[in-house]
Amino acid sequence: MSHTMFSALRQASRPGSSALRATRRAAPVARVPRSTTFVRTLITKKYTEDHEAVVYDDQTQIGTISITNYAQSSLGDVVYVELPQEGTEVDQGDQIGAVESVKAASDIYAPVSGTVEEVNATLNDQPGLLNKSPEEKGWLCKMKVRDPSELDKLMTEEQYKKHCESDH
């Protein structure tokens, strides 16, 4: 190959050179206006003295109710879970269900007021989920919280840990 051929190939392969570039038409792009509004979702987890927990999402106003790991370990192997009915209106402190284990039975109380939107029906067939994953897969129900200020009356994780330590 001659020197001029190398020179022509080098020139053709350089960025910006149109010799070897296929013609490409840009596809039309829909312009989406950028929003400068920030949506901040605050997820709050609070605890009751009776060992219920609520994870509250301030954007959806949904509180996911569960028993704590401390509660499930105190109960032992859970064999039955009674859940509230969807659509039920409850006040903070109302009984919303019960848990039975090989050791004991324990009532579940609403940590906040609201309407039961959804129950974890999986617990009907797999009550042991409360032992395996009490605060995640073993959640009890989801409630539309009526008064988010009630969360202020509940304990933070740090306060709850101290409460559990003083329980012994």
Side-chain angles (χ1 to χ4, degrees), residues 135-153:
E135 296 181 45
E136 290 169 22
K137 292 180 183 170
W139 58 274
L140 302 166
C141 65
K142 295 185 181 198
M143 290 176 47
K144 185 77 163 184
V145 177
R146 189 180 323 133
D147 182 3
S149 70
E150 289 178 340
L151 291 158
D152 298 336
K153 300 174 191 170

Side-chain angles (χ1 to χ4, degrees), residues 13 17 32 60 70 83 94 101 103 107 110 126 142 147 154:
S13 64
S17 170
V32 178
T60 61
Y70 180 89
L83 298 169
D94 285 357
S101 71
K103 287 189 201 174
D107 291 333
Q126 299 176 44
K142 295 185 181 198
D147 182 3
L154 303 177

Side-chain angles (χ1 to χ4, degrees), residues 21-165:
R21 203 176 324 140
T23 312
R24 243 180 35 185
R25 290 192 181 153
V29 176
R31 298 273 180 213
V32 178
R34 267 199 189 168
S35 173
T36 55
T37 308
F38 291 99
V39 177
R40 196 176 110 216
T41 300
L42 188 62
I43 307 290
T44 308
K45 187 169 191 174
K46 294 289 191 113
Y47 300 85
T48 69
E49 290 184 1
D50 295 316
H51 308 290
E52 291 93 12
V54 58
V55 176
Y56 177 71
D57 181 327
D58 76 338
Q59 189 174 6
T60 61
Q61 296 184 310
I62 297 292
T64 303
I65 316 300
S66 62
I67 64 169
T68 64
N69 192 51
Y70 180 89
Q72 75 78 22
S73 65
S74 299
L75 283 167
D77 292 338
V78 175
V79 293
Y80 176 75
V81 181
E82 180 184 316
L83 298 169
Q85 293 290 315
E86 289 180 6
T88 305
E89 291 276 336
V90 296
D91 291 322
Q92 187 176 38
D94 285 357
Q95 182 182 342
I96 57 169
V99 176
E100 290 181 22
S101 71
V102 291
K103 287 189 201 174
S106 182
D107 291 333
I108 301 164
Y109 300 98
V112 289
S113 302
T115 306
V116 177
E117 298 274 308
E118 183 182 351
V119 296
N120 187 354
T122 305
L123 293 175
N124 293 328
D125 298 326
Q126 299 176 44
L129 267 180
L130 280 184
N131 296 114
K132 293 179 187 127
S133 182
E135 296 181 45
E136 290 169 22
K137 292 180 183 170
W139 58 274
L140 302 166
C141 65
K142 295 185 181 198
M143 290 176 47
K144 185 77 163 184
V145 177
R146 189 180 323 133
D147 182 3
S149 70
E150 289 178 340
L151 291 158
D152 298 336
K153 300 174 191 170
L154 303 177
M155 293 182 276
T156 63
E157 185 174 6
E158 192 62 37
Q159 292 167 326
Y160 179 70
K161 282 180 183 175
K162 286 180 183 171
H163 170 70
C164 291
E165 289 165 5

